[in-house]
Amino acid sequence: HHVEHVKHAEGCVAAIAEVQRRLRSTGEDPAAAGRVMREGWRAGEDAARGRGGAWLAYRRGGVEALEALSGDIAVTGPGRGSAAL
C-alpha cells in the first residue's frame, strides 16, 4: 500500500501544478478553471478503476486536491485564491 500512498500524493501535486499552468497561460477565473480540471480528473478516475490501485490512487489524489482547492477559492474568493497559486 506504500506505492498507493505515494501515487496519491503525486496525483495531488500533479493536479495542482496543472491548474497553475492553466491559470498562468489563460488568465482564466480560478473557480472556473478548477471546475473544468476537476471534471477532467474525475473522468480519469472513472477510467482508472480497471487499471490498478496505484493508478486509481493517483487519479483520486488529483480529484481530492482539486476539490480542496475549490473549497479554498470559495472561502477566500477568486482574487485571493489565485494569488496563492
Side-chain angles (χ1 to χ4, degrees), residues 18-84:
E18 196 173 325
V19 170
Q20 286 179 312
R21 284 189 299 275
R22 183 180 180 120
L23 292 174
R24 286 182 186 138
S25 68
T26 67
E28 189 174 2
D29 173 66
R35 276 191 303 277
V36 170
M37 300 296 299
R38 204 167 51 252
E39 289 171 10
W41 275 79
R42 278 190 186 133
E45 182 182 15
D46 291 341
R49 293 193 192 285
R51 298 185 69 188
W55 187 248
L56 182 57
Y58 175 84
R59 298 305 293 197
R60 188 168 289 147
V63 169
E64 290 174 7
L66 293 169
E67 287 173 349
L69 179 62
S70 174
D72 288 346
I73 291 171
V75 170
T76 62
R80 291 184 61 199
S82 62

